[in-house]
């Protein structure tokens, strides 16, 4: 049996960033990750970082490679009615922007720091039970117990932590469509993300690096990605991104395909006794607003500060406020993600009236500085 101040369940970006921030604050921790290192470092997820996330990574010493290799973005493009409309984030927000830097790379950076400088990071360590001040886990074929002052559940929606919180209130919504996401070895056809509303459904052009494109198509739920061959995917993307003009979508080898369902989920409270939930263990947003990773980072920034305050003063007041502080931001992001999703996607059986309402909202954003600023402030995490 071993003891630590903070047991962190989950070695994704939230758990690893928290461990790094605690290390810098002089608070010991142990990170338990159920998967092996290769899986964790290759797990494809988000890649759009708000300014607050960029600042948190820099402040904890994990921003050097991001600053060298990340792609700063000063806006996004909305496409509808075969026209393109760019939103200038710094102009609309008073200077805020975003950064494209893949979650896989954030995790690699944080793993390397934790193994070199931080507390124990145990891969293939499956948490099996959570109690009052302890976690039992299976590692290297043995059942072990880790005692602790606090437990942080950063193990995602399907992890053990969420189920431990009793009498919680759950809010959730499922959407009647999914995303078919692909990675392609081709330079992006755009300098900034393109969000497209088309009569055929939604499409998104993103990127992971100057040589790797990340693209998405709205598809029906339960779509088998293998049912789409590469040519079909590129042809459909061409149709959905089409505008009047000479813009052209570059094609290249598709190296990965996956279907992502769209859902919203929030559980309250985010704390039970010594257990604190963070990231996807407490909330999920549809990816249209690019909020999932950023919400997880915001959670652990609040929690790290509360734990540092507890260590310095012995007071629990900031720990007691953790859930309320985080949930205010969570619900703002839930609303924005719902807004972006329902404005840009076509629901099955959608009427012409509903489509015209979507286009009216898009036209307002394209022609009203106030409406454009509201989107930009939410997208960059400024509000």
């Amino acid at each position: 049996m071993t003891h630590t101040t903070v047991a962190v369940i989950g070695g994704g970006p939230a758990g690893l960033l928290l461990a790094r921030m605690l290390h810098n604050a002089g608070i010991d921790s142990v990170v338990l990750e159920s998967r092996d290192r290769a899986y964790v470092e290759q797990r494809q997820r988000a890649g759009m970082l708000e300014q607050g996330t960029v600042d948190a990574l820099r402040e904890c010493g994990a921003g050097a490679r991001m600053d060298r290799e990340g792609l700063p973005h000063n806006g996004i493009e909305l496409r509808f009615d075969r026209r393109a409309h760019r939103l200038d984030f710094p102009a609309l927000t008073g200077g805020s922007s975003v950064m494209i830097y893949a979650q896989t790379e954030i995790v690699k950076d944080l793993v390397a720091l934790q193994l070199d400088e931080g507390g124990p990071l145990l891969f293939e360590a499956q948490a099996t039970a959570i109690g009052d001040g302890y976690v039992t886990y299976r590692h290297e074929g043995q059942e072990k117990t880790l005692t602790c002052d606090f437990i942080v559940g950063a193990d995602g929606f399907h992890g053990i932590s969420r189920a431990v919180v009793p009498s919680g209130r759950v809010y959730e919504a499922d959407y009647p469509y999914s995303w078919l996401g692909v990675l392609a070895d081709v330079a992006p056809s755009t300098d900034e993300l393109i969000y497209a509303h088309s009569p055929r459904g939604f499409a998104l052009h993103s990127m992971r690096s100057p040589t790797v494109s990340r693209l998405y198509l709205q598809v029906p739920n339960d779509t088998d990605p293998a049912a789409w061959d590469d040519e079909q995917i590129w042809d459909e993307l061409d149709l959905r991104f089409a505008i009047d003009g000479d813009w052209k979508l570059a094609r290249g080898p598709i190296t990965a395909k996956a279907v992502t369902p769209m859902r919203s989920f929030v559980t309250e409270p985010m704390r039970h006794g010594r257990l604190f939930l963070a990231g996807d263990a407490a909330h999920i947003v549809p990816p249209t607003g690019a909020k999932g990773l950023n919400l997880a980072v915001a959670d652990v920034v609040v929690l790290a500060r509360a734990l540092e305050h507890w260590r310095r003063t012995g007071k629990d007041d900031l720990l007691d406020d953790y859930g309320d502080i985080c949930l205010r931001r969570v619900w703002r992001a839930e609303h924005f993600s719902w807004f972006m999703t329902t404005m840009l996607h076509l629901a099955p059986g959608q009427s012409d009236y509903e489509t015209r309402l979507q286009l009216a909202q898009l036209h307002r954003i394209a022609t009203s500085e106030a409406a454009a600023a509201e989107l930009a402030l939410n997208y960059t995490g400024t509000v």
Side-chain angles (χ1 to χ4, degrees):
M1 183 181 296
T2 56
H3 183 83
T4 189
T5 302
V6 182
V8 181
I9 305 175
L16 291 167
L17 178 58
L18 177 62
R20 177 66 182 172
M21 296 176 75
L22 294 177
H23 169 77
N24 290 347
I27 301 171
D28 59 295
S29 68
V30 174
V31 180
L32 305 175
E33 167 55 47
S34 63
R35 302 281 194 162
D36 63 28
R37 180 176 179 177
Y39 179 91
V40 170
E41 293 185 341
Q42 295 169 13
R43 185 164 43 194
Q44 292 288 342
R45 291 291 188 275
M48 197 290 290
L49 311 184
E50 297 174 355
Q51 187 64 56
T53 298
V54 170
D55 293 343
L57 291 168
R58 288 172 177 160
E59 185 176 336
C60 78
R65 191 161 71 93
M66 173 189 68
D67 284 331
R68 291 196 307 271
E69 301 177 13
L71 306 174
H73 280 202
N74 288 323
I76 59 172
E77 185 178 294
L78 297 176
R79 290 192 178 185
F80 59 95
D81 279 352
R82 300 186 64 86
R83 289 177 290 175
H85 303 270
R86 181 177 183 269
L87 303 186
D88 184 329
F89 287 165
L92 292 165
T93 64
S96 296
S97 60
V98 296
M99 175 85 77
I100 300 298
Y101 189 61
Q103 175 176 314
T104 52
E105 306 314 299
I106 295 171
V107 168
K108 289 173 187 175
D109 296 341
L110 290 169
V111 165
L113 285 169
Q114 185 73 6
L115 294 176
D116 289 346
E117 305 173 9
L121 166 56
L122 306 180
F123 292 104
E124 299 181 89
Q126 178 69 57
T128 55
I130 296 174
D132 184 19
Y134 70 89
V135 179
T136 60
Y137 63 100
R138 186 163 187 81
H139 184 238
E140 297 178 338
Q142 297 182 354
E143 291 289 338
K144 302 180 181 181
T145 299
L146 176 65
T147 62
C148 52
D149 297 299
F150 303 101
I151 303 166
V152 178
D155 49 345
F157 180 80
H158 298 290
I160 189 175
S161 302
R162 186 172 62 85
V164 174
V165 179
S167 305
R169 182 77 183 271
V170 172
Y171 305 86
E172 57 187 328
D174 293 315
Y175 295 81
Y177 32 70
S178 299
W179 280 8
L180 171 62
V182 301
L183 278 175
D185 283 340
V186 60
S189 305
T190 175
D191 294 328
E192 297 170 338
L193 273 65
I194 300 172
Y195 287 79
H197 176 289
S198 88
R200 303 179 65 88
F202 170 77
L204 170 63
H205 192 323
S206 182
M207 63 282 294
R208 284 295 176 262
S209 76
T211 59
V212 177
S213 295
R214 182 74 161 151
L215 305 110
Y216 300 91
L217 286 169
Q218 175 188 341
V219 294
N221 289 339
D222 302 320
T223 292
D224 179 2
W228 287 73
D229 65 36
D230 291 8
E231 186 175 0
Q232 285 177 299
I233 291 171
W234 288 118
D235 288 347
E236 189 64 27
L237 287 165
D238 262 330
L239 291 169
R240 297 193 193 185
F241 286 126
I243 55 174
D244 295 330
D246 58 2
W247 184 85
K248 184 175 178 58
L249 178 66
R251 301 188 177 200
I254 291 176
T255 58
K257 304 176 191 176
V259 169
T260 301
M262 311 282 283
R263 65 186 316 235
S264 299
F265 171 87
V266 181
T267 185
E268 297 182 14
M270 290 176 60
R271 177 187 181 181
H272 174 61
R274 303 189 195 190
L275 170 65
F276 297 81
L277 301 180
D280 286 359
H283 42 74
I284 293 173
V285 290
T288 325
K291 293 300 173 193
L293 172 60
N294 295 293
L295 281 178
V297 169
D299 287 348
V300 299
V301 167
V302 172
L303 185 53
R305 289 172 180 164
L307 288 166
E308 183 179 5
H309 175 74
W310 166 83
R311 182 187 65 81
R312 286 189 293 102
T313 68
K315 296 180 180 180
D316 293 340
D317 53 323
L318 295 187
L319 291 170
D320 293 339
D321 291 341
Y322 166 73
D324 290 340
I325 293 171
C326 291
L327 284 166
R328 284 194 291 270
R329 180 181 176 90
V330 166
W331 280 111
R332 177 67 253 149
E334 290 282 349
H335 181 269
F336 177 67
S337 299
W338 167 85
F339 166 76
M340 290 286 286
T341 302
T342 56
M343 177 177 66
L344 291 165
H345 292 72
L346 301 184
Q350 179 167 306
S351 68
D352 291 343
Y353 174 82
E354 292 168 313
T355 301
R356 291 304 294 266
L357 291 177
Q358 291 176 319
L359 292 172
Q361 181 62 61
L362 287 162
H363 278 291
R364 173 163 171 74
I365 293 167
T367 57
S368 164
E369 184 175 342
E374 176 70 10
L375 191 155
L377 287 164
N378 277 277
Y379 196 96
T380 58
T382 311
V383 296

